[in-house]
């Protein structure tokens, strides 16, 4: 899947409430994960199929997350898009736990390069390369106002 233009929404809040906030966001159907940026950060990702998402789409993503995060002590801190020369990227997950490993993998990179990236990710996250599963990012259609 071409994920150039995927929207990310960064939330910040108290580290001790992160797991509960993540659960709340996931119950709302939001693809959100612990961030590699710190223990007080959650990242939510959206993809609408466009390489250059409109400001309206980005605002809808941020509003959707903000509404779902009410009462969690987490708030939207930043919204942006993922821009990359990579034409096709997938999310790297731990096959055993289902946890997102915090990385997008360029599936069109040469095999050796992709293998080195996966080896590095496995070492960094303390998992076996065989336990890394690549998945397409979820699609998001903002609610119609």
């Amino acid at each position: 899947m071409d994920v150039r233009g995927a929207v990310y929404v960064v939330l910040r809040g108290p580290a001790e409430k992160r797991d509960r906030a993540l659960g709340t966001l996931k119950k709302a159907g939001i693809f959100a994960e612990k961030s590699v940026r710190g223990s007080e950060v959650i990242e939510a990702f959206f993809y609408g199929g466009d390489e250059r998402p409109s400001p309206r789409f980005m605002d809808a993503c941020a509003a959707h997350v903000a509404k779902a995060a009410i009462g969690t002590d987490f708030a939207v801190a930043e919204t942006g898009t993922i821009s990359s020369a990579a034409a096709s990227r997938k999310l790297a997950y731990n096959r055993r736990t289902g946890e997102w490993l915090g990385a997008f993998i360029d599936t069109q990179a040469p095999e050796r390069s992709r293998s080195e990236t996966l080896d590095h990710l496995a070492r960094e996250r303390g998992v076996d390369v065989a336990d890394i599963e690549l998945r397409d990012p979820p699609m998001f259609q903002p609610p119609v106002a």
Side-chain angles (χ1 to χ4, degrees):
M1 174 179 282
D2 184 341
V3 295
R4 285 179 289 200
V7 173
Y8 63 85
V9 179
V10 176
L11 298 100
R12 293 190 184 277
E16 66 275 5
K17 295 185 178 183
R18 182 170 71 171
D19 289 339
R20 190 163 33 125
L22 266 173
T24 299
L25 294 171
K26 288 181 180 185
K27 283 180 187 172
I30 294 171
F31 175 73
E33 296 290 343
K34 295 176 182 177
S35 175
V36 296
R37 298 180 189 202
S39 61
E40 75 289 348
V41 183
I42 295 172
E43 293 177 313
F45 293 91
F46 301 92
Y47 185 68
D50 295 321
E51 186 175 323
R52 293 187 182 139
S54 70
R56 185 175 181 187
F57 179 78
M58 292 176 66
D59 289 346
C61 295
H64 184 57
V65 172
K67 182 178 179 182
I70 292 172
T72 65
D73 290 335
F74 273 75
V76 172
E78 176 185 344
T79 303
T81 59
I82 297 170
S83 58
S84 171
S88 185
R89 290 183 161 218
K90 292 194 176 202
L91 301 169
Y93 282 85
N94 181 326
R95 183 185 316 275
R96 294 181 186 267
T97 65
E99 175 188 13
W100 181 48
L101 298 174
F104 284 90
I105 305 299
D106 179 1
T107 57
Q108 291 184 340
E111 187 174 337
R112 182 175 177 190
S113 174
R114 191 171 59 246
S115 178
E116 289 172 358
T117 299
L118 291 172
D119 287 341
H120 175 76
L121 179 62
R123 279 192 311 277
E124 185 178 89
R125 301 296 291 200
V127 299
D128 292 332
V129 172
D131 288 333
I132 296 176
E133 177 182 8
L134 301 180
R135 299 180 191 171
D136 284 332
M139 296 292 283
F140 174 69
Q141 295 299 320
V144 177

